[in-house]
Amino acid sequence: MSLISHFEKKEDVLLVRLVGELDHHEAETLKDDWQNQLQDEAIKHVVVNLERLSFMDSSGLGVFLGRYKQVKTNDGEMVICSINNSVKRLFELSGLFKLINTEENESEALSRLGVAS
Amino acid sequence: MNNHMKVEMSAKSENESFARIVVASFISQLDPTVDELTEIKTVVSEAVTNAIIHGYEDQDHGVVELECNIDDHEVSLKIIDYGKGIFDIDEAVEPMYTSKPELERSGMGFTIMENFMDDFEVVSAKGQGTTVILRKNFNYNERHVLR
């Protein structure tokens, strides 16, 4: 199973929905696509929905950390939502929770950034 | 229960998911929990990715060998490459250390292996390759007694 990434723009928020498995093989394409989306100057914040992400390893942490830094340089915020237990463990181990805000679900993540869903 | 398997694959990133699935299928005979399966898949992914990115520097050549042993309730995994080897193992296993910061690697691979498994060992020689050995006890017998 590979990774499918959906991008959607809602006001100044880029909503990223990931479906499938995120490993090193998939990380490169995701990074390129995501960076392209962030070129849009109207975008300030990012919401990442992991509800349908069935597998992730440390390659995913690298991609999230990279985009976090990118969003941060524009004074934006990154919110990750619908994190399953195994991904949660990776976030805890890496200390990513200290940097990136999390919410239970997509609508809470969007409303945190001022977008009504 | 005693069982063994060994596969060899090209050091291509496409094979990362293949390696995970192979090991997950093989250990299904231990009737693992969902968490145990995820842990095993994650560490296999980390070790095989390391072999491809670091051992062979993503050059699309070389082979990765993957071995799995089931000895009663203990699973041991061996991930072997014949790439450039790790020059400083202590440094490599440090959390957040990466030799390739330009690739957006998190440097968490070995930390994850250490955390998800009971025991891990790295054997490496410059120019000859790296072998990662991972072990974990599955509570197979306990669960079967409880049923």
Side-chain angles (χ1 to χ4, degrees):
Chain A
M1 186 170 180
S2 52
L3 182 79
I4 301 162
S5 27
H6 299 280
F7 297 94
E8 198 181 318
K9 287 166 188 172
K10 286 180 181 277
E11 298 174 30
D12 61 351
V13 176
L14 174 68
L15 172 61
V16 187
R17 294 193 187 103
L18 301 178
V19 182
E21 305 198 339
L22 173 50
D23 61 8
H24 155 246
H25 180 67
E26 300 292 343
E28 275 301 301
T29 318
L30 173 61
K31 176 190 163 185
D32 291 345
D33 293 349
W34 199 335
Q35 275 180 327
N36 279 337
Q37 295 284 336
L38 286 174
Q39 303 246 317
D40 183 342
E41 284 175 6
I43 295 297
K44 192 172 180 192
H45 309 293
V46 173
V47 167
V48 191
N49 184 342
L50 301 184
E51 192 180 352
R52 293 170 69 196
L53 190 73
S54 52
F55 175 84
M56 186 182 109
D57 65 16
S58 72
S59 305
L61 295 174
V63 178
F64 293 155
L65 203 56
R67 300 299 73 67
Y68 165 78
K69 288 177 185 161
Q70 218 178 330
V71 166
K72 219 52 198 167
T73 55
N74 293 328
D75 288 322
E77 207 182 320
M78 186 157 147
V79 183
I80 302 189
C81 68
S82 311
I83 305 174
N84 69 30
N85 279 335
S86 52
V87 174
K88 203 171 273 174
R89 276 181 78 189
L90 298 184
F91 274 50
E92 278 163 0
L93 273 176
S94 63
L96 218 61
F97 276 137
K98 290 178 199 137
L99 299 175
I100 298 172
N101 297 307
T102 57
E103 289 292 347
E104 279 297 306
N105 55 51
E106 196 177 284
S107 63
E108 281 173 35
L110 286 168
S111 66
R112 184 193 181 108
L113 297 171
V115 179
S117 52
Chain B
M1 188 194 300
N2 260 293
N3 207 348
H4 172 77
M5 73 92 180
K6 180 174 178 175
V7 288
E8 183 187 292
M9 66 200 91
S10 302
K12 289 178 185 294
S13 63
E14 288 85 346
N15 287 333
E16 291 155 6
S17 60
F18 168 73
R20 293 196 292 273
I21 293 164
V22 165
V23 174
S25 313
F26 185 69
I27 63 158
S28 66
Q29 56 198 293
L30 286 175
D31 198 11
T33 63
V34 175
D35 282 347
E36 285 169 335
L37 262 183
T38 305
E39 285 166 350
I40 287 281
K41 282 167 78 175
T42 309
V43 300
V44 168
S45 206
E46 298 296 345
V48 171
T49 300
N50 275 352
I52 294 169
I53 300 184
H54 301 290
Y56 298 112
E57 305 206 281
D58 233 340
Q59 296 298 306
D60 244 16
H61 66 78
V63 294
V64 180
E65 291 170 14
L66 176 62
E67 279 184 57
C68 186
N69 258 301
I70 298 172
D71 185 5
D72 206 5
H73 46 71
E74 192 193 69
V75 170
S76 57
L77 290 161
K78 240 187 217 184
I79 297 96
I80 304 162
D81 73 67
Y82 300 97
K84 68 168 188 177
I86 301 169
F87 305 129
D88 185 342
I89 293 177
D90 290 339
E91 182 184 55
V93 302
E94 277 286 306
M96 318 297 268
Y97 171 81
T98 177
S99 58
K100 298 193 185 299
E102 74 282 5
L103 289 184
E104 284 194 350
R105 306 298 310 165
S106 64
M108 291 302 293
F110 279 124
T111 308
I112 290 167
M113 291 182 230
E114 200 175 4
N115 260 275
F116 283 15
M117 302 298 278
D118 295 336
D119 187 35
F120 100 112
E121 203 181 313
V122 184
V123 184
S124 191
K126 207 172 164 177
Q128 288 174 40
T130 301
T131 298
V132 176
I133 302 157
L134 302 157
R135 289 187 199 89
K136 191 181 180 69
N137 256 299
F138 280 55
N139 299 318
Y140 175 76
N141 292 337
E142 256 172 60
R143 277 203 299 273
H144 280 255
V145 169
L146 286 172
R147 268 175 202 170

